[in-house]
Amino acid sequence: MAGKNAKHFIDLENRYTAHGYHPIPVVISRAKGVWVWDTEGRKYLDCLSAYSAVNQGHLHPRIIKAMREQASRLTLTSRAFHNDLLGAFMKKLCRVSRMEMALPMNTGAEAVETAIKVARKWGYERKGITRNKAEIIVCSENFHGRTTTIVGFSTDPDANTGFGPFSPGFKIIPYNDPAALKKAITKNTVAFLVEPIQGEAGVNVPDDGYLRKIRDICTRRGILLIFDEIQTGLCRTGRMFAWMHENAKPDMVTIGKALGGGVMPVSAVVSSRDIMSVITPGTHGSTFGGNPLACAVGSASLDVLIDEKLGPRATRLGKLFRKRLHGIANEKVVEIRGRGLLNAIELKQSAGTAREYTERLMKLGVLAKDTHGQTIRFAPPLVITEKQIEWIIGRVKKVL
Ligand SMILES: *Cc1c(COP(=O)(O)O)cnc(C)c1O
């Protein structure tokens, strides 16, 4: 477990920092690529990638270079003035997401809040919905962030107990259930907000065809389909965005996490010109949204994903990873699931908690994160090699 050195940092953190997390007891002080080092110089393979915010690997030279150069030229103007990077970055983001207009923010939760605002305004202006009556449909076990509006439609009691009263206008349906969506739509519905794979819920992969079916329902009923691709996007599941697996192009996408290349928060909403034009001067904004430093970092982060072909790599290595996991699975394993390099092992209740396994993996040099009691998530940086996958498998085999 944590050495003397680590204990000092953990105690200090625990004393002065609110306890919103329950971290694995490792103190990281350095990183490169897929590896991180603790304060005692021990090396670990990062199988979480900061919840998929480090798809390009830690300290990617191109991203760090872009950041350094921009940091010595211009970092912040606010949107009260133009800057010479925003347009080109948004153009690149629209191109990779096959959309027409983007709205830059910082964190994932802000991108989701933005999508909610755009969808509601679109509903009032384009569908003529009665003032303050707009409804948005969401799924049980969703994770869309931590703002009061967003936790208000979470079904996780840890996320919302004690934080009400909440914003009305959300309706919760089961995930992976197109019939439930059909039934839930009313004349006041403006949008369906959903994750193409539920990451935080434990890598819940819906049935093949689900994305296509909900796309068709939303089109037929005249409501917006919004994919939250903050975790599944940017090559994590093998395509630039997870919706591309089924060519189920949504009306809006929220993007975050790896858009900041693991160095700073960069998020955005992308959509069509028609939908995005409900945003007019004064109706939405963010002091840091679209700042030049974020544009430089975000732009380099996209370049790395494309130039290093991290999508195809995630597909290939993800298949290998799941195949090897199936090969070592024993009676303790209920299920192995995932897509690309977003994967999970679900353990039987009788096998003990996932937390016990992640702590043992830590001792063997693998940092993975338990979620929801019985699930271990594996989401290494996409720059991982075949050899490193085999290395992880050897250790997972040991703890099983
Ligand atoms: C992480 C995440 C968010 C929230 O992003 P933050 O940057 O933490 O606000 C929203 N949606 C999904 C699917 C996520 O995985």
Side-chain angles (χ1 to χ4, degrees), residues 12 20 25 53 73-74 81 96 99 101 138 169 172 194 203 218 226 248 271 275 339 344 362:
L12 192 63
R73 189 180 308 131
L74 175 72
F81 311 121
V96 303
M99 294 284 182
M101 267 187 147
V138 298
I172 301 167
V194 62
V203 191
C218 291
I226 308 170
S271 186
I275 293 165
R339 191 154 232 181
M362 177 196 82

Side-chain angles (χ1 to χ4, degrees), residues 107-109 112 143-145 195 200 228 230-231 257:
T107 66
V112 172
F143 184 85
H144 297 291
E195 300 153 85
E200 292 313 295
D228 181 347
I230 290 165
Q231 187 159 158
K257 293 205 164 109

Side-chain angles (χ1 to χ4, degrees), residues 9 26 28 73 232 265 331:
F9 292 107
V26 60
I28 298 167
R73 189 180 308 131
T232 52
E331 72 290 342

Side-chain angles (χ1 to χ4, degrees), residues 21 50-52 106-112 142-147 150 194-200 228-232 254 256-257 265-267 377:
Y21 286 85
Y51 301 92
S52 295
N106 310 284
T107 66
E110 286 176 317
V112 172
N142 69 70
F143 184 85
H144 297 291
R146 299 292 197 170
T147 63
I150 293 171
V194 62
E195 300 153 85
I197 292 174
Q198 289 187 323
E200 292 313 295
D228 181 347
E229 294 246 24
I230 290 165
Q231 187 159 158
T232 52
T254 56
K257 293 205 164 109
V266 185
S267 73
R377 175 173 29 184

Side-chain angles (χ1 to χ4, degrees), residues 22-37:
H22 180 36
I24 302 280
V26 60
V27 182
I28 298 167
S29 61
R30 194 158 66 82
K32 185 78 191 135
V34 299
W35 300 103
V36 300
W37 284 264

Side-chain angles (χ1 to χ4, degrees), residues 43-224:
K43 180 167 127 172
Y44 304 83
L45 205 152
D46 181 0
C47 279
L48 183 67
S49 312
Y51 301 92
S52 295
V54 195
N55 287 358
Q56 301 89 343
H58 292 276
L59 267 63
H60 193 289
R62 253 177 102 176
I63 297 170
I64 299 300
K65 181 165 178 274
M67 188 184 205
R68 281 223 169 94
E69 285 179 3
Q70 192 57 39
S72 58
R73 189 180 308 131
L74 175 72
T75 57
L76 188 61
T77 55
S78 85
R79 298 282 305 279
F81 311 121
H82 296 280
N83 73 62
D84 60 356
L85 276 84
L86 181 58
F89 174 41
M90 295 293 101
K91 181 182 176 187
K92 193 177 283 180
L93 189 60
C94 285
R95 205 188 65 226
V96 303
S97 57
R98 302 185 200 163
M99 294 284 182
E100 294 168 345
M101 267 187 147
L103 194 161
M105 297 294 283
N106 310 284
T107 66
E110 286 176 317
V112 172
E113 289 277 353
T114 300
I116 291 168
K117 288 174 74 174
V118 171
R120 284 178 173 175
K121 201 152 190 283
W122 174 86
Y124 298 123
E125 293 183 2
R126 302 293 159 77
K127 286 182 57 133
I129 287 171
T130 309
R131 194 167 162 227
N132 293 338
K133 292 287 180 206
E135 289 170 1
I136 293 176
I137 299 170
V138 298
C139 286
S140 53
E141 292 191 76
N142 69 70
F143 184 85
H144 297 291
R146 299 292 197 170
T147 63
T148 41
T149 294
I150 293 171
V151 300
F153 57 79
S154 169
T155 57
D156 176 358
D158 285 341
N160 61 27
T161 306
F163 298 123
F166 297 122
S167 169
F170 297 95
K171 193 184 264 184
I172 301 167
I173 62 167
Y175 189 60
N176 194 21
D177 187 345
L181 174 63
K182 263 189 213 162
K183 268 217 308 251
I185 296 170
T186 71
K187 66 178 197 320
N188 291 329
T189 305
V190 294
F192 179 37
L193 167 65
V194 62
E195 300 153 85
I197 292 174
Q198 289 187 323
E200 292 313 295
V203 191
N204 287 346
V205 184
D207 295 338
D208 284 345
Y210 175 66
L211 304 183
R212 195 61 249 167
K213 280 180 190 155
I214 58 177
R215 170 66 280 177
D216 291 344
I217 294 166
C218 291
T219 304
R220 254 182 291 138
R221 305 293 295 272
I223 68 167
L224 304 180

